[in-house]
Amino acid sequence: MMRLRDSQLEVLWIARVDYEENSGVKLHKHDFYQLLLIIEGDGEIEIDGKLCPVLPNHIYLFKKGVAHRFQYRKETVTLDFKFKISEELVTLIDRTSFSGGHPILQLTPFKELFQLSNKNLKEPNPLIPFQIDAGFKSTLLGVLQNQESLGSINISEVSEYNEGFHMVQYLKRNLQERINLEEMASHFGFHPHYLIELFKKNLNTTPIQYLQSLRLEKAKEYLEFSSYSVAEIAELVGLTPPYFSRLCCDRLGMPPSKIREQMRTVVGKDMILEEDFILETQPLITKMGTL
């Protein structure tokens, strides 16, 4: 019996798979669990004889031994996780009414796991598979509990009891707007200097610097997981294309086009986390007419 890195859950394989219009995967089943995250796209999924629509920001869980297939009418971007779990977690999953697509409020934890596996592909580290197991298990349990998925701490994490919480949410909602310190202070009825003090106290930065970081973080996500052009992404996060390019070079060490190019090199690439996992068992992507 395969020894699990984590005694309850072991991630076997992670991939980003971009499906062409009118493509899909024939009916099949396997001896492990699979979680499919739809980032964007349209079509239908059959699970154990039942059809459900393909919806963006939804996940679909395929249990061990259950037949399923995919058909995509439009270009569809997915993150695919294959994993093994203990009988203890099988029992928990079976107790939940996890049928059809399950909406996800926060895609970041899944994207971070993919990025972590990509990092391990480029610079293998024996600790990373353990980290992926733990992160995926935490995220999956959050989904099963019908709560917002749990992810690692990042730049946007602020407690709702923190004085800066509502201001951070304001910035997130208005990334596309041309916000300045005076307008933000006026919106909350504070003096600009007091606003700066709040952000420095709670986040160790200024409001505008924090806004810039949020914009860059969101823009990087668009570059990696969307088909928007660089100019469109700049507009979506409230930056001019020249400034966006300069900010990427200064903060991330490369222009936006290079960031996107690096991500494209791993689209469709298998990231195998368990050496005993047999890739040849994976179903082939075919045109819808041949399904």
Side-chain angles (χ1 to χ4, degrees):
M1 181 177 178
M2 186 185 300
R3 182 184 64 82
L4 298 181
R5 292 185 303 257
D6 183 291
S7 62
Q8 294 182 321
L9 182 150
E10 180 183 24
V11 178
L12 304 170
W13 181 90
I14 300 176
R16 170 178 162 176
V17 185
D18 290 11
Y19 293 87
E20 296 179 356
E21 181 181 350
N22 295 323
S23 68
V25 175
K26 292 181 179 180
L27 191 69
H28 66 285
K29 56 185 177 181
H30 30 61
D31 63 352
F32 45 78
Y33 278 68
Q34 178 180 3
L35 186 145
L36 185 70
L37 168 62
I38 305 295
I39 296 177
E40 58 183 58
D42 180 56
E44 68 178 20
I45 291 177
E46 179 182 337
I47 307 174
D48 200 19
K50 298 178 181 179
L51 294 177
C52 52
V54 168
L55 299 171
N57 297 351
H58 278 62
I59 60 172
Y60 301 80
L61 181 68
F62 311 111
K63 299 179 182 179
K64 177 180 177 180
V66 172
H68 54 279
R69 66 177 175 87
F70 323 125
Q71 290 185 338
Y72 300 108
R73 286 185 287 269
K74 297 180 179 179
E75 292 184 1
T76 300
V77 178
T78 71
L79 289 182
D80 199 334
F81 301 83
K82 294 178 171 64
F83 56 101
K84 288 191 173 184
I85 56 175
S86 67
E87 289 302 319
E88 187 178 17
L89 285 186
V90 168
T91 301
L92 286 176
I93 289 176
D94 289 343
R95 280 167 43 188
T96 63
S97 56
F98 202 115
S99 60
H102 187 95
I104 295 297
L105 299 177
Q106 179 57 268
L107 274 63
T108 301
F110 294 102
K111 292 177 178 178
E112 287 179 343
L113 289 169
F114 171 75
Q115 291 164 338
L116 195 57
S117 63
N118 182 27
K119 178 181 179 182
N120 190 55
L121 183 70
K122 296 176 180 177
E123 302 174 5
N125 184 321
L127 294 177
I128 291 181
F130 289 84
Q131 188 178 355
I132 290 173
D133 288 347
F136 185 75
K137 182 171 72 172
S138 175
T139 302
L140 178 62
L141 290 175
V143 171
L144 293 176
Q145 293 167 1
N146 200 27
Q147 297 175 347
E148 183 174 335
S149 301
L150 301 175
S152 59
I153 296 174
N154 55 48
I155 184 113
S156 59
E157 183 186 47
V158 176
S159 166
E160 62 180 311
Y161 302 108
N162 190 302
E163 284 188 87
F165 176 77
H166 298 297
M167 298 169 198
V168 167
Q169 297 310 310
Y170 169 81
L171 291 178
K172 288 181 179 179
R173 289 193 304 268
N174 293 280
L175 287 182
Q176 194 171 1
E177 305 300 324
R178 298 288 192 267
I179 302 173
N180 59 46
L181 180 63
E182 288 70 23
E183 290 173 345
M184 185 178 175
S186 175
H187 177 82
F188 287 99
F190 293 143
H191 190 281
H193 290 168
Y194 179 66
L195 203 60
I196 292 174
E197 289 178 6
L198 281 180
F199 269 77
K200 284 189 173 181
K201 173 185 175 183
N202 294 300
L203 298 168
N204 198 32
T205 187
T206 67
I208 300 306
Q209 287 172 337
Y210 191 82
L211 173 61
Q212 191 179 68
S213 296
L214 286 176
R215 283 174 166 163
L216 190 59
E217 181 183 337
K218 189 63 179 180
K220 185 171 182 289
E221 182 178 320
Y222 281 136
L223 286 170
E224 295 179 339
F225 296 102
S226 82
S227 57
Y228 291 125
S229 68
V230 170
E232 288 172 329
I233 291 172
E235 183 178 350
L236 285 170
V237 297
L239 300 172
T240 63
Y243 184 68
F244 174 42
S245 181
R246 188 162 65 250
L247 192 61
C248 283
C249 290
D250 292 343
R251 294 285 193 90
L252 303 176
M254 63 185 76
S257 57
K258 184 66 174 178
I259 296 172
R260 170 158 281 170
E261 179 185 334
Q262 283 195 347
M263 174 54 70
R264 294 300 183 196
T265 63
V266 297
V267 172
K269 197 159 189 175
D270 305 299
M271 300 181 188
I272 300 174
L273 299 171
E274 171 50 53
E275 60 183 13
D276 292 339
F277 183 66
I278 302 174
L279 182 62
E280 285 71 18
T281 62
Q282 300 311 296
L284 297 176
I285 299 173
T286 63
K287 283 296 182 180
M288 190 177 292
T290 64
L291 292 176

